[in-house]
Amino acid sequence: MARGYDNYKNRADLISSFGRELTRRSGSSCELCGASGVSLSVFEVPPVKVEPESSDCVFICGECREQLENPKKFRNSHWRCLTDRVWSETGSVKILSVMILKKVSLTESWASDIIENVYLSDEENEQVERSGI
Ligand SMILES: [Zn+2]
């Protein structure tokens, strides 16, 4: 049975508790742009599930987070860094990269060229459609 996270603080605490595992997985560098020596935080890939899991999260730097959370700060050129991330063996990194490149591809053909070559399962495609990014 799923445990309930009835307030935001519990959920936020739980998500930040993934930090140790994600530090190891990421090698302490941003899982999107590769920045190292910067502070990293846990980002849940949308749409978020009732029960957060580290496998649905990506460890990212402040710059990537700001662009994702604030559409006014979103700069297409920053996301060139995702060219090889779409091939990541970490599912959450791959799918978040596709979500972002899909948005970039609305105006940039280099981004459509990349995502055209990426294979996604039906389930992953649906997640991308519902992401809201
Ligand atoms: Zn980054």
Side-chain angles (χ1 to χ4, degrees):
M1 200 169 106
R3 286 162 291 159
Y5 298 102
D6 39 14
N7 67 57
Y8 179 75
K9 186 159 192 324
N10 281 350
R11 186 180 183 95
D13 285 349
L14 181 71
I15 289 169
S16 50
S17 76
F18 297 152
R20 180 185 288 240
E21 179 187 342
L22 296 184
T23 300
R24 214 177 309 124
R25 188 179 82 188
S26 66
S28 300
S29 58
C30 175
E31 289 188 291
L32 294 179
C33 74
S36 58
V38 294
S39 133
L40 302 169
S41 59
V42 183
F43 181 83
E44 274 190 284
V45 178
V48 299
K49 296 181 183 159
V50 176
E51 186 149 3
E53 287 179 47
S54 58
S55 57
D56 293 321
C57 293
V58 177
F59 215 28
I60 63 172
C61 72
E63 175 66 30
C64 287
R65 176 176 290 274
E66 184 166 78
Q67 293 206 28
L68 286 177
E69 291 183 344
N70 185 348
K72 285 191 184 137
K73 297 272 170 78
F74 194 90
R75 285 187 294 110
N76 287 337
S77 58
H78 176 72
W79 301 110
R80 290 253 183 200
C81 58
L82 299 179
T83 305
D84 60 352
R85 300 293 156 157
V86 294
W87 306 108
S88 172
E89 285 174 11
T90 304
S92 54
V93 172
K94 170 184 163 183
I95 195 126
L96 181 58
S97 301
V98 172
M99 287 169 182
I100 297 166
L101 286 177
K102 193 149 187 187
K103 175 168 172 164
V104 175
S105 74
L106 296 174
T107 50
E108 305 276 348
S109 60
W110 61 263
S112 358
D113 291 346
I114 296 167
I115 51 178
E116 260 169 31
N117 291 311
V118 180
Y119 172 79
L120 295 180
S121 67
D122 290 348
E123 196 184 332
E124 288 171 327
N125 264 317
E126 198 198 318
Q127 195 183 348
V128 170
E129 293 304 322
R130 293 171 55 230
S131 73
I133 286 184

